[in-house]
Amino acid sequence: MTTLPEKTDRKLGLVIDLDTCVGCHACVVSCKGWNTENYGAPLSDQDPYGADPSGTFLNRVHSYEVQPEEGAAQLIHFPKSCLHCEDAPCVTVCPTGASYKRVEDGIVLVNESACIGCGLCAWACPYGAREMDAAEGVMKKCTLCVDRIYNVNLPEEDRVPACVRTCPAGARHFGDLGDPESDVSKLVEERGGMDLMPEQGTKPVNKYLPPRPKDELDQVDVLAPYLQPVAEEPKGFIGWLDRTLEKL
Amino acid sequence: MHPAPSVIIFTTLSGLGFGLLAWLGLGFPEVTGWVAFTFFAIAYALAVGGLVSSTFHLGHPERALLAFTQWRTSWLSREGVVSVATLLVMAVYGAGLVFWGESWRLLGVIGAVLSLGTVFCTAMIYAQMDTVPRWKTPLTPLLYLMLSVAGGALLAGQVKAAMLLLPLAAAAQVLWWMRGDGAFAQSGTTLATATGLGGTGKVRSFEHPHTGSNYLLREFTFQVGRKHATKLRSIAMLLGYVLPFSLLIMPFSHALALVAVLSHLAGVAASRWLFFAEAEHVVGLYYGKR
Ligand code: SF4
Ligand code: SF4
Ligand code: SF4
């Protein structure tokens, strides 16, 4: 059903720390690895080793440069996957009911056996979180690793999304953002977690932690005088050599 | 947005087909027998041909029946339901005209309303998209409806009505373009709001997540050059409105009427190509486009 639930029992989602993400793309690889073998159709690649490779991914890492008025620019790595929006426009536009938001935990999923591959949901998502699989002709998106987080066959420490489990920098956190007492909610509170494109009215569940301001060192550079550029024009023997060589 | 031929053909042809059905439903022209049959055949060929072409871009057309289920929230689903209802009602109404020479007026009026309802639903699929500011305006359904009734009048041989509606449709078109050109900037969505990083400085896309292309880039970041777009707008204006209108002023002949219809069709197709090609999706921001 494409009618959005009034409210969900829990709001499971991710908190992504833009301060600690090092842009290693490990989450991209682990996400693709887990999701191509598990829930739903595999994530296909087209011409993977050829001149024009392209493929389906549920999570991608952008990199942005932020140039302040003064001082050096900052480079920020920016992982992006489905934000499991509360007012998910991708769900309501779906004509078949393939797209839905779960009442129990708020996860937005696609029932691939009902998807006609019209692509309208991807049009409605402002974040580019949905990609049509070119081989299967169905819509793929982040499942919040629904087949890991409740999977009793996995050791307890693995019952988190693959991207969260993999991140070597600890930049991705998973939890219930509907519970103000949860670790993720506290983290968002403490670090001023933000929504992406709040003006689009999607009410994303996933939050982003802004990068912390960089240190400013008030340092006196004692070496500076010694590092002045040397004379441009060579003199003495070197000068003579230089001039002679020039003539040859 | 990527201007997919199947969607351009669909919206152009079916818009015209449902426009003609609306006129027929209202009894303009009041025809029966073979003449009615011809009119209805043309209208159904356009409307159904358009609908069929729209299934070409589906990944799984064999599941298309499911698309009738979510009319509570989805304009695409509503379009499906209303279009089928239109075709059924108008089939009964048309059969009355063709076989019994009877005009069941009430049925015709219902059919006409449903016809325009279909066009409205089509337009709303686009007009509801917050992600494409150029489309997100009541002017979008206005434009689609104007084009449908003007084109329908032309096809139905309603010369007087067409001479009034063509300039009105042209005005809606110009208005839609003028508003559209500033719509993205007006929407307030920028790379700064998309990343939340605007507070500390100017944000620039430094590196894409992938070196190759992907679905998002193919589907959403199509861009037309300004010069190219201006040229196409002139062509759409000329073929879609100016030429058909001039032909209508001349003494009526079937050949000229045919040229007027074909010219209008070509003009609307050009305008529809631009409708998609010029539409900027906000996701392009993440890739440093816009
Ligand atoms: S991020 Fe996009 S795909 Fe995910 S719930 Fe929000 S609108 Fe839908
Ligand atoms: S692509 Fe599939 S999930 Fe998306 S709107 Fe169409 S039918 Fe629904
Ligand atoms: S939660 Fe799972 S599906 Fe979603 S981005 Fe992470 S690994 Fe991919």
Side-chain angles (χ1 to χ4, degrees):
Chain A
M1 267 278 279
T2 54
T3 313
L4 289 168
E6 283 279 324
K7 67 186 263 301
T8 57
D9 300 341
R10 292 193 295 161
K11 294 182 194 171
L12 294 188
L14 300 176
V15 174
I16 293 172
D17 191 341
L18 297 178
D19 194 60
T20 41
C21 174
V22 293
C24 69
H25 291 242
C27 57
V28 177
V29 178
S30 68
C31 170
K32 177 116 173 176
W34 175 265
N35 287 289
T36 203
E37 312 186 320
N38 292 284
Y39 180 98
L43 303 168
S44 72
D45 290 314
Q46 281 69 43
D47 196 18
Y49 305 106
D52 188 20
S54 163
T56 312
F57 286 78
L58 310 184
N59 174 38
R60 297 187 184 258
V61 181
H62 292 255
S63 296
Y64 296 103
E65 175 198 83
V66 181
Q67 176 66 62
E69 287 274 319
E70 268 169 47
Q74 212 178 332
L75 185 60
I76 287 140
H77 301 293
F78 195 96
K80 187 162 58 60
S81 49
C82 170
L83 296 101
H84 297 279
C85 306
E86 280 180 61
D87 267 340
C90 56
V91 170
T92 49
V93 298
C94 175
T96 62
S99 281
Y100 60 105
K101 186 170 175 70
R102 309 203 323 169
V103 182
E104 60 270 40
D105 51 19
I107 299 179
V108 174
L109 285 178
V110 175
N111 169 6
E112 290 173 8
S113 57
C115 172
I116 54 173
C118 64
L120 205 60
C121 53
W123 291 21
C125 170
Y127 309 106
R130 292 175 167 242
E131 297 187 17
M132 180 95 74
D133 189 84
E136 288 289 331
V138 294
M139 197 50 77
K140 302 294 298 184
K141 68 177 292 300
C142 159
T143 64
L144 208 61
C145 287
V146 67
D147 48 357
R148 286 177 69 96
I149 57 179
Y150 299 114
N151 192 337
V152 288
N153 296 319
L154 295 177
E156 186 143 11
E157 67 268 29
D158 283 337
R159 287 181 217 157
V160 290
C163 55
V164 173
R165 185 80 177 94
T166 299
C167 179
R172 300 177 76 105
H173 307 268
F174 163 73
D176 179 6
L177 287 139
D179 169 10
E181 291 309 310
S182 70
D183 288 347
V184 279
S185 294
K186 285 185 194 152
L187 191 61
V188 169
E189 183 63 39
E190 194 182 307
R191 294 276 306 281
M194 57 190 183
D195 287 350
L196 305 185
M197 291 188 192
E199 72 282 1
Q200 287 273 332
T202 53
K203 293 206 231 141
V205 168
N206 285 13
K207 301 284 179 233
Y208 282 75
L209 306 180
R212 296 180 174 98
K214 291 284 177 244
D215 292 347
E216 301 255 358
L217 287 184
D218 255 348
Q219 207 178 31
V220 184
D221 195 348
V222 286
L223 287 177
Y226 301 102
L227 294 173
Q228 292 295 335
V230 285
E232 299 281 310
E233 280 292 306
K235 289 188 201 96
F237 173 68
I238 302 281
W240 171 81
L241 194 64
D242 200 34
R243 283 194 299 277
T244 317
L245 286 175
E246 199 97 309
K247 277 182 206 143
L248 292 180
Chain B
M1 303 287 290
H2 167 65
S6 61
V7 179
I8 293 166
I9 296 172
F10 153 58
T11 57
T12 309
L13 294 188
S14 74
L16 204 59
F18 284 109
L20 176 54
L21 281 179
W23 284 101
L24 291 173
L26 294 176
F28 301 101
E30 196 70 80
V31 281
T32 51
W34 278 109
V35 186
F37 180 82
T38 314
F39 269 113
F40 273 85
I42 293 171
Y44 271 74
L46 290 170
V48 177
L51 288 176
V52 169
S53 115
S54 75
T55 63
F56 289 163
H57 81 287
L58 296 182
H60 284 275
E62 77 280 6
R63 300 174 187 155
L65 280 183
L66 282 171
F68 292 103
T69 59
Q70 302 302 313
W71 48 268
R72 277 187 210 79
T73 66
S74 165
W75 281 106
L76 180 53
S77 185
R78 284 172 199 162
E79 180 200 43
V81 172
V82 179
S83 65
V84 169
T86 309
L87 293 176
L88 290 177
V89 169
M90 288 305 282
V92 177
Y93 175 70
L97 290 175
V98 173
F99 300 115
W100 294 282
E102 292 272 357
S103 164
W104 296 314
R105 178 63 36 241
L106 182 65
L107 206 59
V109 172
I110 294 174
V113 172
L114 285 172
S115 298
L116 296 182
T118 307
V119 177
F120 180 73
C121 289
T122 306
M124 282 310 291
I125 296 173
Y126 308 109
Q128 70 175 330
M129 292 282 167
D130 282 304
T131 50
V132 185
R134 192 184 281 275
W135 291 350
K136 174 84 190 176
T137 160
L139 288 177
T140 299
L142 179 77
L143 176 64
Y144 271 62
L145 285 169
M146 284 309 300
L147 282 176
S148 179
V149 289
L154 206 57
L155 267 181
Q158 301 303 303
V159 177
K160 277 218 196 79
M163 283 174 70
L164 181 72
L165 289 168
L166 278 173
L168 285 178
Q173 175 76 80
V174 171
L175 214 62
W176 190 86
W177 277 333
M178 276 169 34
R179 180 211 160 263
D181 288 340
F184 200 91
Q186 276 267 308
S187 77
T189 297
T190 60
L191 183 53
T193 69
T195 58
L197 297 172
T200 39
K202 193 164 165 27
V203 191
R204 186 174 76 90
S205 168
F206 182 78
E207 195 176 37
H208 286 185
H210 39 95
T211 50
S213 188
N214 72 348
Y215 171 74
L216 302 173
L217 289 173
R218 285 189 295 269
E219 187 79 5
F220 300 116
T221 61
F222 188 92
Q223 270 169 321
V224 248
R226 227 184 163 25
K227 260 222 216 102
H228 199 61
T230 315
K231 247 190 244 158
L232 269 167
R233 283 185 183 186
S234 322
I235 292 177
M237 257 339 222
L238 214 68
L239 291 183
Y241 313 99
V242 180
L243 187 62
F245 185 81
S246 324
L247 290 172
L248 287 185
I249 297 179
M250 291 187 213
F252 181 84
S253 89
H254 277 287
L256 284 188
L258 184 70
V259 177
V261 167
L262 291 179
S263 160
H264 177 72
L265 193 65
V268 176
S271 145
R272 222 26 78 73
W273 188 86
L274 283 169
F275 181 84
F276 290 97
E278 285 192 295
E280 310 96 334
H281 193 288
V282 293
V283 79
L285 292 168
Y286 285 109
Y287 284 92
K289 314 256 165 157
R290 310 293 170 240

